Amino acid sequence: MKAHPLNFSLALAGGVTLASMIAINSELAAYSSPVLASWFAHGIGAITSLLVLMTASLLAVKKLTILPKVGTPFWAYLGGIPGAFTVVLAAITVNSPLGLSGSLALIMAGQVLFGLVCDGFGLFGLTKRPLTLTDGLTLGLMATGCLLTLFGRG
């Protein structure tokens, strides 16, 4: 794999921010409801994204566009739907006996499993990538890690 080290750092930072978002939203859900927490998360997220876009547009050497290209598939606009469900479902599970670490372990396993399916079939316009024995081994090790996280407290 020839990924730039910055990509690894950004992916790790994305994981930290995802875990932080889930923990913060779950706290709000405990005082209100998972659906209200999702509304707040996405409303504040939309405002933050707009501010980041405006700032990046002002600072960028290359002009950023705020409109998608002609021919963008309709489903590309629907990313907020699974995002909203992620916030609601995570808020429910974090406030259950699974806790934050158990929820994150299962969320991560679900992400990797679905990512492998998307790669294998080229879903959502991704380049088709054949699954390998290493992918299966990786998934098995992740499943073992999830089980240790969930049941290894003794």
Side-chain angles (χ1 to χ4, degrees), residues 9-141:
S9 300
L10 293 174
L12 285 172
V16 170
T17 57
L18 179 63
S20 300
M21 178 197 75
I22 289 171
I24 292 166
N25 290 336
S26 297
E27 186 68 15
L28 178 58
Y31 287 96
S32 58
S33 73
V35 175
L36 183 64
S38 180
W39 270 96
F40 272 102
H42 286 85
I44 292 169
I47 293 166
T48 303
S49 294
L50 181 61
L51 292 173
V52 168
L53 178 63
M54 289 172 21
T55 303
S57 185
L58 291 172
L59 299 176
V61 174
K62 181 183 170 194
K63 186 68 177 161
L64 299 175
T65 179
I66 60 169
L67 298 174
K69 293 179 182 176
V70 174
T72 301
F74 81 94
W75 51 262
Y77 297 96
L78 305 177
I81 294 171
F85 279 108
T86 299
V87 173
V88 170
L89 297 173
I92 293 168
T93 60
V94 169
N95 290 316
S96 77
L98 283 177
L100 182 59
S101 61
S103 294
L104 287 174
L106 292 171
I107 288 168
M108 186 176 67
Q111 287 175 328
V112 171
L113 177 60
F114 190 65
L116 289 172
V117 169
C118 290
D119 285 346
F121 290 103
L123 300 179
F124 305 114
L126 296 171
T127 303
K128 218 178 204 187
R129 185 181 71 83
L131 301 181
T132 65
L133 184 59
T134 304
D135 293 326
L137 179 62
T138 301
L139 199 55
L141 289 170

